[in-house]
Amino acid sequence: PFAQATQEAAPAAAASPWAFTANIGLFSDYRFRGISQTDRKPALQGGFDLAHSSGLYVGNWNSNVDSAFYNGANIEMDFYGGYKHAFEGGFGLDGGVIYYYYPNSGSNPTGSTKIDNTEVYIGGSWGPVALKYNYAVSDFFGAPDSDGSSYLDASFAYDLGNNFGVVAHYGYQWLKGGAVVTQIDGTTANNISDWKIGVTYTIDGWVFGLAYVATNRDLTGGTAALTNRNISGDTAVASVTSTF
């Protein structure tokens, strides 16, 4: 027993260069670039990320959507991969590609447009401020001749202390070709601005949020088009999310 007690401890196993995280969230409305994807109804969302210490990462994110908006698809599945790097002084760089996939899109009505989208992106951050640019390398969500549509996203997130935080966002969407939108009043627009401001409260790993979301356009689509209802108007979005 004494000999065993004096043996040197075995060396600790090397830390894995891989990190796996998952996330889940419940939202009162799923707003994508200011436009409701769920006919202004709640959304259950979640996904995972696998990151390497080199900065490379891949991930998947999913949400329910309005099937009438996506020609028969009731789920959005996003697949992405890229590279992140943090520099001294709090600067960060992120670049990659994302594919938006909608299973069964084009099935209802039969022969309708199959909706999907592929974008490349590059972003930078410094402290609470981030800027990201997405560029569509495919037809933008199935619209003909719309590759080259792009989106600029400026965001801000700040910890106020005592578990409270504030978030803000401004986005600008450039649309090309068949992606140009027709508003409820019949006028067309080749760009859309959207913005958000909100507060968060974190407790036991859960983040509760409340945000004001709006755009500068009056748009309808999917189920809402049956009654010409606006799905891009001002709204409050409540949420609860967690990453583990």
Side-chain angles (χ1 to χ4, degrees), residues 37-59:
Q37 310 294 293
T38 50
D39 189 29
R40 305 191 72 163
K41 293 180 174 61
L44 179 63
Q45 304 176 344
F48 69 88
D49 292 277
L50 181 63
H52 190 266
S53 58
S54 65
L56 295 172
Y57 64 89
V58 294

Side-chain angles (χ1 to χ4, degrees), residues 14 19 33 40 57 74 83 85 103 110 131 134 137 189 228 235:
R33 300 178 184 176
R40 305 191 72 163
Y57 64 89
N74 55 21
Y83 173 79
H85 184 75
T110 302
L131 190 67
N134 286 50
V137 294
N228 215 33
T235 193

Side-chain angles (χ1 to χ4, degrees), residues 39 66 68-69 220-231:
D39 189 29
D66 175 20
F69 201 59
T220 191
T223 300
L226 298 175
T227 56
N228 215 33
R229 189 157 57 97
N230 191 353
I231 57 173

Side-chain angles (χ1 to χ4, degrees), residues 36 45 53 61 68-69 85 118 133 147 170 184-185 189-190 225 244:
S36 178
Q45 304 176 344
S53 58
W61 181 88
F69 201 59
H85 184 75
T118 303
Y133 179 73
D147 57 300
Y170 176 80
I184 291 175
D185 64 6
N190 61 2
F244 47 92

Side-chain angles (χ1 to χ4, degrees), residues 94-149:
D94 181 15
V97 60
I98 181 169
Y99 174 61
Y100 302 80
Y101 173 56
Y102 303 88
N104 297 319
S105 179
S107 65
N108 187 21
T110 302
S112 57
T113 300
K114 181 181 182 298
I115 298 174
D116 62 359
N117 184 44
T118 303
E119 294 179 340
V120 294
Y121 58 86
I122 187 167
S125 61
W126 182 58
V129 179
L131 190 67
K132 185 177 181 180
Y133 179 73
N134 286 50
Y135 182 89
V137 294
S138 68
D139 280 340
F140 186 73
F141 292 97
D145 303 318
S146 59
D147 57 300
S149 296

Side-chain angles (χ1 to χ4, degrees), residues 65-226:
V65 294
D66 175 20
S67 62
F69 201 59
Y70 286 96
N71 296 343
N74 55 21
I75 296 176
E76 173 184 335
M77 304 178 70
D78 299 345
F79 300 92
Y80 51 87
Y83 173 79
K84 290 182 179 179
H85 184 75
F87 298 89
E88 292 185 5
F91 289 94
L93 182 67
D94 181 15
V97 60
I98 181 169
Y99 174 61
Y100 302 80
Y101 173 56
Y102 303 88
N104 297 319
S105 179
S107 65
N108 187 21
T110 302
S112 57
T113 300
K114 181 181 182 298
I115 298 174
D116 62 359
N117 184 44
T118 303
E119 294 179 340
V120 294
Y121 58 86
I122 187 167
S125 61
W126 182 58
V129 179
L131 190 67
K132 185 177 181 180
Y133 179 73
N134 286 50
Y135 182 89
V137 294
S138 68
D139 280 340
F140 186 73
F141 292 97
D145 303 318
S146 59
D147 57 300
S149 296
S150 58
Y151 185 72
L152 184 65
D153 177 356
S155 60
F156 175 85
Y158 187 75
D159 184 357
L160 297 173
N162 297 316
N163 299 333
F164 285 97
V166 61
V167 295
H169 150 86
Y170 176 80
Y172 192 90
Q173 177 78 69
W174 291 271
L175 299 170
K176 291 190 173 183
V180 171
V181 294
T182 300
Q183 299 192 87
I184 291 175
D185 64 6
T187 60
T188 59
N190 61 2
N191 57 71
I192 303 170
S193 295
D194 72 277
W195 50 90
K196 177 180 79 172
I197 186 166
V199 294
T200 62
Y201 180 75
T202 304
I203 183 170
D204 295 331
W206 291 92
V207 181
F208 296 84
L210 182 64
Y212 168 79
V213 181
T215 75
N216 66 335
R217 305 298 182 195
D218 294 322
L219 308 173
T220 191
T223 300
L226 298 175

